[in-house]
Amino acid sequence: MADTRKGEGHHHIVMVPFTAHGHLIPFLSLARQIHERTNLTITIATTPLNIQYLHSAISSSPNTNINLAELPFNSTQNDLPPNIENTEKLPLPHIIKLFQASKSLETPLHSLISQITQQEGRPPLCIISDVFLGWVSNVATSFGINNISFTTCGAYGTLAYISMWTNLPHRKVESENFWVPGFPKNYTFHVSQLHKHIREADGSDSWSRFFIPQIALSMNSNGWICNTVEEIEPLGLKLLRNYLQLPVWTVGPLQPPTSQNSSKNHAGKESGIPIETCIEWLDSKDQSSVLYICFGSQNTISATQMMALAEGLEESEKPFIWVIRPPFGFDMNGEFIETWLPKGFEKRIRESKKGLLVHKWGPQLEILSHKSISAFMSHCGWNSVLESLSHGVPIIGWPLAAEQAYNVKMLVEEMGVSLELTRGVDSVVSKENVKKVIEVVMDQELGKGKEMKDKANQIAVHLKEAIVENGEEKGSSVKSLDDFVSTILSSKAII
Ligand code: UDP
């Protein structure tokens, strides 16, 4: 354990996450890990509504000793609807406004660091900020302290994402396949793997104008922390370190404790179903027989895709739990209309006990850790990937945004734990293909399904051993976190 107590007093670290659940959850977990291993004082600074959310997440798992500091934020002054401070209730095209609005937090963050400096007689040890919030480095520089970038994604996905924004490589070739700087020359990506905003980016649009400079600032920080594990992403980490020419500490898998509260899950969100009901339903199923379907905290598929998925599921006759939200183009948090599913679908699956629909938000960790789960159909947000693989559950990929398609590419090509069903909300999905892919991945007795299951189990072992090795907390991620802390303690500036 890094010894921060001896003659050092209690140093302080301030953390600034991007305001989306998929970022707040790993930031909170990282804060807990650093605090538990070192006793450093940790403050997470974010906007008032996100503070409320973090309070709620903390209260569902007691004994968390993390400070929360409010940074004043006015959504309407930032061209956002009233009381919007998180991606959760924002349609995708507006998310860029939230990114841009994050820059209005620079002055309040500066005031917070001044206040801490006055109270404690010295500035915090460092500011750990989201890779997307490169502007935080201006604040760190003005106090002469380290700025560490934290990527909540994996190394491979992070590299693909930052290099795509930095270089816009798809705009430089005629072909739909292209090479991404930082990857070996024989690696190609396809334009269909790019989210619409980056596919159309040319350096002058609003997404480029935010992401290109923010990523450049983060690439100039003093080091990166990555929510991954050395042993599961050797290629991604080697390439990322080489590209950044900075230290990259691996601290994954950052997972919150499972909830102690029956209606709220680890994310502090109200589940659409009592956890016990879900577990009882799963208890009634055979081991490794159930497909779990969920597209993360802020994505959904199109209405026609939803129909094909429902039909394919019924034809496959596999039991399933589906966290379902209104389709793309409708209010994701609004009422669910029955006609989005085949006629009589919900009644049939309820009566036959073949399926369980969970509206809006499901207890994902509790579901994935249940022995009845066989496979996960996922958008492949990085948290979902780690949560699935931690339980040795192979993945049916359906990437929808951000770096998800790059994650799937790695899951298929490097790890061999996944099949990609389709990409995005515009693709045509047939019930026949849904059925076929489900069968290949869920038939785990032999063939491709068994191979994927075996590999997922091996990765689960690596993920566990990254924390606990031979009964002791000394796996690669623990060592890396200790190294991070002693590095920042031993130098006022790493570079
Ligand atoms: N999550 C959940 N229930 C849901 C949807 C999501 O508990 O119904 C959690 C999930 O366990 C994960 C996070 O929300 O920890 C989603 O993060 P991820 O990186 O997978 O995707 P994002 O939401 O950022 O796209």
Side-chain angles (χ1 to χ4, degrees):
M1 182 183 293
D3 187 2
T4 62
R5 289 159 229 192
K6 226 174 4 186
E8 294 281 356
H10 278 196
H11 275 286
H12 204 141
I13 292 183
V14 174
M15 299 177 70
V16 191
F18 174 60
T19 53
H21 290 303
H23 293 238
L24 292 165
I25 299 167
F27 261 80
L28 183 56
S29 305
L30 177 62
R32 277 193 180 111
Q33 294 246 346
I34 299 177
H35 179 71
E36 279 165 18
R37 286 199 68 73
T38 63
N39 217 18
L40 290 170
T41 304
I42 314 285
T43 297
I44 302 182
T46 184
T47 70
L49 289 176
N50 287 296
I51 291 283
Q52 269 181 32
Y53 160 75
L54 286 171
H55 263 303
S56 167
I58 286 175
S59 69
S60 69
S61 56
N63 307 324
T64 303
N65 201 356
I66 305 293
N67 301 330
L68 301 176
E70 269 187 17
L71 301 176
F73 180 75
N74 185 322
S75 62
T76 47
Q77 275 177 7
N78 283 291
D79 200 20
L80 287 162
N83 299 321
I84 292 292
E85 300 181 5
N86 188 296
T87 51
E88 185 188 25
K89 296 199 174 97
L90 265 185
L92 204 55
H94 297 289
I95 285 182
I96 187 60
K97 291 185 189 165
L98 188 68
F99 278 111
Q100 284 158 343
S102 72
K103 290 198 270 183
S104 74
L105 299 174
E106 184 169 332
T107 306
L109 180 66
H110 197 279
S111 306
L112 175 73
I113 305 293
S114 288
Q115 201 189 328
I116 293 175
T117 308
Q118 265 179 9
Q119 278 167 0
E120 301 182 356
R122 62 179 169 201
L125 204 50
C126 71
I127 311 179
I128 300 178
S129 53
D130 208 292
V131 164
F132 298 143
L133 309 185
W135 55 263
V136 172
S137 65
N138 301 332
V139 181
T141 305
S142 71
F143 286 89
I145 58 179
N146 286 311
N147 176 216
I148 304 296
S149 304
F150 175 31
T151 171
T152 55
C153 309
Y156 185 109
T158 296
L159 173 61
Y161 196 87
I162 62 171
S163 177
M164 298 258 193
W165 274 113
T166 306
N167 302 295
L168 300 178
H170 56 295
R171 307 289 303 209
K172 297 180 180 142
V173 288
E174 291 298 320
S175 154
E176 293 198 328
N177 292 296
F178 56 93
W179 169 72
V180 177
F183 283 85
K185 288 284 181 207
N186 58 345
Y187 270 59
T188 52
F189 288 74
H190 189 265
V191 281
S192 61
Q193 290 170 311
L194 301 182
H195 190 258
K196 184 167 149 280
H197 301 299
I198 185 160
R199 200 180 316 167
E200 291 168 3
D202 62 4
S204 70
D205 56 287
S206 56
W207 287 78
S208 301
R209 287 202 314 274
F210 179 82
F211 276 97
I212 296 173
Q214 294 305 316
I215 288 172
L217 283 167
S218 291
M219 285 176 61
N220 219 5
S221 68
N222 304 103
W224 284 39
I225 294 177
C226 184
N227 181 16
T228 193
V229 163
E230 208 62 56
E231 293 78 7
I232 70 166
E233 278 201 272
L235 176 72
L237 279 162
K238 184 175 129 208
L239 300 178
L240 181 66
R241 287 185 175 120
N242 197 29
Y243 190 74
L244 291 173
Q245 295 290 309
L246 287 172
V248 177
W249 290 280
T250 52
V251 298
L254 288 170
Q255 285 177 27
T258 42
S259 177
Q260 320 213 335
N261 174 323
S262 68
S263 64
K264 275 186 186 166
N265 82 344
H266 66 280
K269 300 253 291 180
E270 211 58 47
S271 174
I273 189 172
I275 295 175
E276 296 77 19
T277 312
C278 211
I279 300 297
E280 258 168 47
W281 190 91
L282 282 165
D283 284 344
S284 74
K285 302 293 171 222
D286 292 339
Q287 184 158 349
S288 297
S289 67
V290 178
L291 175 67
Y292 169 54
I293 305 163
C294 179
F295 299 107
S297 63
Q298 60 203 39
N299 283 286
T300 183
I301 55 179
S302 77
T304 47
Q305 291 173 331
M306 193 173 277
M307 196 59 85
L309 174 55
E311 288 168 357
L313 277 170
E314 268 198 294
E315 291 201 3
S316 80
E317 297 187 359
K318 304 280 189 206
F320 63 89
I321 297 185
W322 184 357
V323 179
I324 198 161
R325 308 209 179 89
F328 187 78
F330 295 87
D331 174 9
M332 244 181 66
N333 298 295
E335 275 313 295
F336 194 88
I337 302 170
E338 235 178 84
T339 50
W340 284 325
L341 289 170
K343 207 166 184 307
F345 178 80
E346 209 166 345
K347 185 162 178 281
R348 279 195 303 281
I349 61 160
R350 191 173 49 242
E351 286 173 356
S352 64
K353 299 200 165 50
K354 264 274 147 34
L356 190 63
L357 289 187
V358 177
H359 287 277
K360 291 186 184 146
W361 190 265
Q364 178 155 310
L365 285 185
E366 288 78 1
I367 292 173
L368 283 171
S369 58
H370 197 283
K371 62 179 186 346
S372 299
I373 295 296
S374 157
F376 180 15
M377 185 182 290
S378 168
H379 72 313
C380 294
W382 189 245
N383 295 295
S384 294
V385 167
L386 288 179
E387 289 161 14
S388 194
L389 295 177
S390 290
H391 295 100
V393 174
I395 298 171
I396 297 173
W398 187 335
L400 293 164
E403 90 304 357
Q404 295 150 16
Y406 324 140
N407 294 341
V408 179
K409 182 172 163 69
M410 181 188 65
L411 293 172
V412 173
E413 294 177 5
E414 305 299 322
M415 291 186 177
V417 294
S418 190
L419 282 190
E420 186 173 23
L421 173 59
T422 186
R423 289 174 194 156
V425 287
D426 299 321
S427 65
V428 178
V429 177
S430 71
K431 61 179 180 182
E432 291 79 13
N433 203 31
V434 169
K435 178 171 182 281
K436 197 174 107 204
V437 172
I438 289 176
E439 283 171 355
V440 173
V441 180
M442 291 183 70
D443 182 0
Q444 295 170 352
E445 292 297 312
L446 36 96
K448 185 85 188 141
K450 181 174 183 322
E451 256 173 52
M452 286 190 275
K453 178 70 189 167
D454 289 346
K455 288 186 171 152
N457 279 336
Q458 277 165 20
I459 291 182
V461 171
H462 287 313
L463 289 171
K464 276 195 195 77
E465 287 183 353
I467 310 293
V468 177
E469 210 180 38
N470 301 326
E472 278 182 69
E473 283 214 355
K474 58 168 189 150
S476 61
S477 290
V478 174
K479 285 187 186 139
S480 183
L481 187 71
D482 287 350
D483 182 61
F484 160 68
V485 174
S486 46
T487 306
I488 51 164
L489 275 172
S490 66
S491 65
K492 283 275 169 276
I494 296 168
I495 46 169

